[in-house]
Amino acid sequence: MLNPNQVRKAAQEVVAEMIGKKVGDADYLISSGLIDSLSILKLIGNLENRLSVTIPAGDLQPDDFESVDFITDTVLRVARSR
Amino acid sequence: MDAQSFRELLLSRLQQNRDRVLLRILLSPGAEPVELTGADILSRAPELARRYQAAAESSVVLLLLPHSVELFLLHFGLILEGRLPAILAWPTNRIDPEKYQRNLLHQLRHLPADQLITLPRLATNLAGGVHFPVTECRVENARQLEESFRIPLPLEVPEGEPARPRAGDTPADAIFLQFSGGTTGAQKAVAVTASLLAAQLESLRRCLAFTAEDGVASWLPLYHDMGLIACLWFPLWCGAPSLHFSANDWLLNPELLFRCLDRYRATFCWLPNFAFSYLAAQRGRMKQSYSLGHVRAWINCSEPVRLRSFREFAEAFAPWGVTVESLQASYAMAENIFAVTQTPLGLQPRTFPRSRLRHRAAAFQETAFDLLDDVYVSSGPVLEGMSVRVVNPQGEVCADAEPGNIQLRTECLFSGYWTSGGFITESIVNGWYSTGDYGFLAGEDLYVIGRLKDIIIVGGQNIFPEDVELVVNSIDSIYPGRVVAFGINDEQYGTERLAVVAELRGEFDAGKAEAVERRVHQLVLSTIGIAPRYAAVVPERWIVKSTAGKISRRDTRVRFLRERLNQPQVTAG
């Protein structure tokens, strides 16, 4: 069972690594151009490794990864243990 | 062949295949595709066109619709009804709806079109600002897209009279228009005529030995020549089925392409170079295994072909039947309707070591940045009925393996662009068209190195640096005119990434610069549709000028790579 705080922390760290700086949890990542569309699957892969889960991306939309808040919700909703 | 003869031929081919599924349109990854036989297209396409068309015969009808059955049917229906459809790029769902619509309105006011067909809410928002009728077209599953265009009305309409269309602008045998570039101001389209299209499709059919038993699967959008000509028109012309889904669905679900190729036994797949690397990088995420040994050709097109991308793809998917012999390359452009060259099927494309290139002509120092590899991959010999030559800056034909400007003389060559100023004939000297691409011939094979023009190719999409610079220049805190956009190689995905450098006006403040960098990211994405990978707001006088006092994109790029990305080995030459 994933802990929301653990997921949020992982999301914050993965995002910060990818864009080279910390952002606020509500800051837009994709529509602001900080993360581009080709990098979304990389972000998902990094989250999976960090949390040891599988995130089925096939039915998700880029909007589901729009901010740390959204990422946290999405991971908690769809992630499955490996 | 005139337009009427072409329409009759198209009708007869649809009639011949009236019981055969020619089109499969997948509207969402989990759904079953909508299947259209020749008879379905024959009955539904003209009916839909008649329902929506509001412009006279031979007039230009813009189609601004998301991936949908209606988009496909209206394209064919309008052609069969004697109109000239032109498919506009549908925005990504990351774009800011309000800015997008303002930019769109600006573009539409300067296009000499006769009608726009789009989603109802967009139609409502745009109708007051353009000189032609805007018609609502309802599309299945578009409610969410419609919601995104819910903005406070009225949309601000720019002052001044919109441009008026000029009668009789396009060639008499034109059948549709294909946009070839320009994201903000400089929209231009190639007029695709009956004779050019028929010549291209027949030439490609002979070269690929393509038959009705083949098939195509594609996520490429129809506003791109590869999506429209290679993946839609070509199979349909040959009586073969094609399957289409949206690029957005593919990005987060790359294996959808393999699922479709496998399930529908599609034998051809056109992809831009980056997609080969992207698919290979996602191999570990793919849940199922697929049978791909039946795919006759994976054709790398629309970006310079990179050996590394091919190798990654072949290694990743060899267990599923992908062979190096099935990896092919083509050099294509909308100005030639589509393909100019094609590597022979069943053979690995030839390569040419970079070290064996003859000298690079001094006058090409302003060449945009080529994609560096140890070897260049051949794009193949020219198609039947076409000629290619490479010339130096003096206009002299280059020797074998000597790079220069690629020129074409072909039976598919366009005659001009349809632009805001009407139809403008392109300068073609003695039948030769200068492509602006930089490359060389070695034996019969053409090798494309990069661009002479400053075009950035991001994921197969052409971005004009001037467009990006214009947008960024509108930010108040930026020193006016001191903005440079350029491309940077992305080794991982075998494409380019967009970089923007802009000078902060007044005393430099790091906090303020960071805030402006965010603004640059957001503004470029919302108006151009591509997120810059790098946005650097720098102090005044950081951007490099030439000795003549002109801003140098090339030297600024070199400085950026050295100082910001720590690549000291980069040189301007």
Side-chain angles (χ1 to χ4, degrees):
Chain A
M1 187 74 172
L2 286 170
N3 172 330
N5 291 334
Q6 174 199 5
V7 175
R8 181 173 298 279
K9 185 165 180 290
Q12 289 166 339
E13 288 170 358
V14 165
V15 168
E17 275 169 22
M18 285 184 68
I19 64 177
K21 57 189 169 191
K22 284 188 175 177
V23 292
D25 285 4
D27 287 355
Y28 282 3
L29 303 171
I30 299 165
S31 61
S32 67
L34 288 172
I35 289 181
D36 63 33
S37 50
L38 287 183
S39 301
I40 299 173
L41 279 184
K42 189 174 175 185
L43 183 146
I44 294 171
N46 291 349
L47 283 166
E48 287 178 327
N49 291 337
R50 182 79 54 127
L51 294 165
S52 299
V53 295
T54 300
I55 301 170
D59 296 325
L60 298 173
Q61 290 293 314
D63 293 351
D64 294 318
F65 301 89
E66 184 57 273
S67 67
V68 168
D69 284 340
F70 276 106
I71 294 169
T72 305
D73 289 347
T74 302
V75 172
L76 288 170
R77 180 163 46 89
V78 304
R80 293 195 293 257
S81 299
R82 280 182 177 167
Chain B
M1 183 186 295
D2 63 20
Q4 187 52 33
S5 309
F6 184 91
R7 282 192 284 271
E8 285 164 11
L9 197 51
L10 176 60
L11 283 170
S12 107
R13 294 199 175 194
L14 290 171
Q15 191 71 36
Q16 283 165 19
N17 293 289
R18 55 178 302 105
D19 299 324
R20 187 176 167 82
V21 173
L22 292 177
L23 273 180
R24 290 188 174 92
I25 302 163
L26 191 58
L27 297 174
S28 67
E32 285 294 309
V34 174
E35 295 192 335
L36 298 170
T37 61
D40 294 330
I41 299 170
L42 272 173
S43 64
R44 291 179 60 184
E47 191 275 328
L48 202 65
R50 283 194 291 274
R51 191 190 311 166
Y52 290 115
Q53 72 196 19
E57 204 160 323
S58 301
S59 52
V60 174
V61 181
L62 302 171
L63 293 174
L64 179 58
L65 293 169
H67 174 76
S68 58
V69 176
E70 289 79 2
L71 177 62
F72 286 79
L73 288 176
L74 278 170
H75 174 72
F76 288 117
L78 288 165
I79 290 168
L80 291 171
E81 289 291 302
R83 274 67 179 174
L84 300 178
I87 298 174
L88 288 163
W90 183 258
T92 69
N93 58 0
R94 269 88 63 199
I95 213 154
D96 178 87
E98 185 168 348
K99 289 195 188 73
Y100 167 73
Q101 287 180 92
R102 293 191 195 291
N103 183 39
L104 179 65
L105 190 60
H106 173 76
Q107 284 178 17
L108 294 176
R109 283 167 61 86
H110 293 88
L111 286 180
D114 303 284
Q115 186 190 358
L116 168 69
I117 299 176
T118 189
L119 294 185
R121 195 172 294 281
L122 254 182
T124 305
N125 293 352
L126 297 170
V130 293
H131 57 74
F132 42 76
V134 183
T135 307
E136 297 180 4
C137 175
R138 292 194 188 281
V139 166
E140 202 182 331
N141 294 335
R143 191 189 304 169
Q144 198 180 345
L145 292 168
E146 279 278 79
E147 282 300 310
S148 70
F149 291 113
R150 184 192 290 272
I151 62 164
L153 290 173
L155 193 65
E156 187 182 304
V157 177
E159 289 180 8
E161 274 295 300
R164 306 297 303 180
R166 285 177 13 189
D169 274 337
T170 48
D173 64 340
I175 47 176
F176 61 86
L177 303 177
Q178 169 81 59
F179 283 98
S180 75
T183 43
T184 54
Q187 281 275 6
K188 59 181 185 179
V190 167
V192 176
T193 67
S195 50
L196 299 182
L197 181 59
Q200 169 67 221
L201 298 175
E202 284 304 316
S203 187
L204 206 53
R205 185 181 60 76
R206 288 191 296 272
C207 173
L208 297 175
F210 194 93
T211 73
E213 301 311 308
D214 284 301
V216 174
S218 166
W219 53 265
L220 298 160
L222 297 188
Y223 56 79
H224 197 291
D225 57 342
M226 192 158 49
L228 184 64
I229 306 296
C231 300
L232 177 63
W233 268 99
F234 179 54
L236 186 113
W237 188 253
C238 298
S242 61
L243 182 142
H244 305 261
F245 55 95
S246 79
N248 210 36
D249 285 339
W250 176 75
L251 269 176
L252 282 189
N253 193 3
E255 69 182 300
L256 183 57
L257 179 65
F258 296 147
R259 196 185 307 158
C260 294
L261 285 158
D262 184 354
R263 179 173 173 188
Y264 295 102
R265 311 305 287 170
T267 51
F268 279 79
C269 185
W270 277 266
L271 296 168
N273 186 77
F274 88 90
F276 287 84
S277 290
Y278 187 71
L279 281 159
Q282 308 310 331
R283 170 66 184 88
R285 296 189 56 78
M286 296 183 184
K287 301 288 184 291
Q288 298 174 30
S289 61
Y290 300 95
S291 166
L292 301 172
H294 63 282
V295 178
R296 293 175 58 207
W298 307 85
I299 303 179
N300 189 327
C301 191
S302 90
E303 288 183 296
V305 180
R306 309 189 76 179
L307 187 62
R308 178 175 158 167
S309 301
F310 266 170
R311 282 184 176 151
E312 289 167 348
F313 187 83
E315 279 171 23
F317 302 114
W320 297 351
V322 173
T323 62
V324 288
E325 292 79 14
S326 65
L327 303 184
Q328 301 296 329
S330 170
Y331 174 58
M333 65 188 67
E335 287 78 358
N336 194 51
I337 309 304
F338 183 61
V340 180
T341 69
Q342 173 63 54
T343 50
L345 298 197
L347 299 172
Q348 269 186 269
R350 292 191 184 93
T351 57
F352 193 94
R354 186 178 172 79
S355 58
R356 280 182 49 208
L357 268 192
R358 289 170 189 251
H359 70 280
R360 300 179 68 177
F364 280 128
Q365 276 184 354
E366 288 305 312
T367 304
F369 325 109
D370 58 11
L371 298 174
L372 304 180
D373 257 333
D374 289 340
V375 297
Y376 297 113
V377 180
S378 165
S379 291
V382 291
L383 299 188
E384 198 181 306
M386 303 188 192
S387 302
V388 166
R389 69 180 186 184
V390 175
V391 299
N392 65 20
Q394 291 73 43
E396 299 157 343
V397 174
C398 293
D400 209 56
E402 181 188 353
N405 184 2
I406 299 171
Q407 295 188 335
L408 315 179
R409 186 164 66 185
T410 85
E411 59 186 355
C412 304
L413 198 57
F414 79 137
S415 55
Y417 292 107
W418 176 84
T419 71
S420 55
F423 186 75
I424 296 173
T425 307
E426 181 68 10
S427 171
I428 293 170
V429 181
N430 297 325
W432 291 100
Y433 166 64
S434 285
T435 62
D437 289 333
Y438 187 67
F440 63 96
L441 283 161
E444 291 186 338
D445 285 16
L446 178 69
Y447 294 78
V448 181
I449 298 174
R451 304 276 166 157
L452 287 166
K453 299 166 190 165
D454 278 342
I455 293 176
I456 306 156
I457 315 174
V458 182
Q461 186 175 337
N462 289 348
I463 307 293
F464 291 86
E466 296 86 353
D467 286 350
V468 178
E469 289 159 5
L470 188 72
V471 164
V472 176
N473 253 316
S474 68
I475 299 174
D476 279 345
S477 316
I478 296 293
Y479 193 109
R482 304 283 289 176
V483 179
V484 173
F486 47 82
I488 289 179
N489 285 328
D490 178 333
E491 292 293 334
Q492 186 185 6
Y493 289 135
T495 186
E496 284 185 294
R497 294 303 180 104
L498 174 62
V500 184
V501 177
E503 290 184 0
L504 190 67
R505 185 159 53 182
E507 193 176 340
F508 188 77
D509 174 89
K512 188 176 178 188
E514 190 175 330
V516 178
E517 282 172 4
R518 284 185 171 227
R519 177 89 182 110
V520 170
H521 273 290
Q522 195 168 31
L523 192 62
V524 173
L525 177 63
S526 64
T527 49
I528 306 287
I530 294 282
R533 177 66 181 82
Y534 305 99
V537 172
V538 295
E540 286 185 16
R541 290 186 286 281
W542 194 96
I543 286 173
V544 184
K545 284 185 169 180
S546 67
T547 48
K550 192 180 165 196
I551 282 179
S552 169
R553 285 198 188 99
R554 190 172 181 79
D555 291 336
T556 302
R557 175 180 178 271
V558 170
R559 181 174 183 187
F560 180 81
L561 288 169
R562 280 182 180 153
E563 297 184 15
R564 299 298 174 108
L565 300 187
N566 199 24
Q567 295 181 16
Q569 74 280 15
V570 174
T571 63

